[in-house]
Amino acid sequence: MKGLIHALEPAGPQAAHIASLWWFALALCALVFVAVLGALFVALRRAPRATGGTPPDVTSLHAPEPGARRSVIGAVALSSVGLIALLVASVATDRALAQLSLVDAIGIEVVGHQWWWDVHYDDADPSRTFSTANELHIPVGRPVLLTLKSDDVIHSFWVPNLHGKKDLIPGRTTTLQLQADKPGAYRGQCAEFCGAQHAFMAFLVIAEAPDAYQKWAEAQRKPAREPIDPEQARGRDLFLSGSCMLCHAIQGTPANGRKAPDLTHLASRTTLAAGRLANDAGNLRDWIEDPQRFKPGVNMPAHHVPEDQIKALVTYLRSLE
């Protein structure tokens, strides 16, 4: 996807702390590597060589010279200093990660499923809460407190540009603090093997200007759009009369399932199937018809229905912006 930034270009304070630790560890390890190669080169240069078929005097190996003894002691001392430096840097980074101010923080609950992400935006006023899936929007410069849960197996929430990994363990609730200081679309990924489609359990964190975020959030709080033509109306009727509503929710309709992504504003999202497909009409049609083709083992069944019904369903779902 365009606009994605790799993990070594932090876009927030938490990721910046982790990146600084990574670069420090890399520099220190590089110095150790060069020192070891240098010591090896010197040792090879100084090693005795047998001549004329006469073996070297091995008795000298039992009594190392004072210079060699000092070299060993120096190497041990330098290694200890390096390890202590890494320990101090790691502790300092951990402390820095815990110091993000949560004043005026946005509360978001993320629940991991096989293989998608259920996202709930909290609010002091329950009527202003809303849900989405596989995509988080956050305002630039404002802290976010994520509450992480798993519905089935162990997952791991990871947005490299914004923070490190955090495991989602069934039966436990964990939290993660992050903040984006740069606008952009940052790819996240489940970082713990969670089943056959683990690699296709991705999501996006879209950081945008505060005004743009507020506009998006207000749109997400609204119920689904009413159909504006007969084709959309037919698609909604097919959705509500079939098995779709048993798993999916569309706010403003009788569909209130919680076993699959909320579809109230499906057309406003960038991807389908947790990042597996771009969100366009062709992919949506193929996904409805045979999701096993793209994610074998996914809970959603195939829908082999007449072409005119598939078309009506797609037309309705594409109207849910």
Side-chain angles (χ1 to χ4, degrees), residues 112-129:
H113 303 267
Q114 290 179 308
W115 293 273
W116 62 284
W117 305 90
D118 202 3
V119 182
H120 309 279
Y121 281 73
D122 300 329
D123 196 281
D125 180 356
S127 67
R128 291 177 57 80
T129 62

Side-chain angles (χ1 to χ4, degrees), residues 25-37:
L26 176 66
L28 185 60
C29 292
L31 287 174
V32 171
F33 179 71
V34 171
V36 169
L37 288 183

Side-chain angles (χ1 to χ4, degrees), residues 266 272 277-289 313-314 317-318:
L266 172 66
L272 299 169
L277 301 167
N279 189 2
D280 58 42
N283 284 333
L284 180 57
R285 180 199 178 283
D286 293 342
W287 175 255
I288 293 172
E289 189 173 54
L313 274 170
V314 170
L317 293 174
R318 291 290 298 167

Side-chain angles (χ1 to χ4, degrees), residues 1-20 97 138 157-165 176-189 203-207:
M1 297 178 187
K2 294 182 179 180
L4 298 181
I5 307 173
H6 64 72
L8 296 181
E9 293 184 359
Q14 308 296 77
H17 294 313
I18 295 173
S20 296
L97 291 176
I138 61 175
F157 185 93
W158 187 32
V159 193
N161 299 106
L162 299 178
H163 209 303
K165 304 172 184 178
L176 184 70
Q177 307 166 12
L178 57 83
Q179 178 177 305
D181 291 335
K182 303 176 184 178
Y186 305 109
R187 187 181 189 275
Q189 177 67 43
F203 60 95
L204 282 179
V205 177
I206 299 175

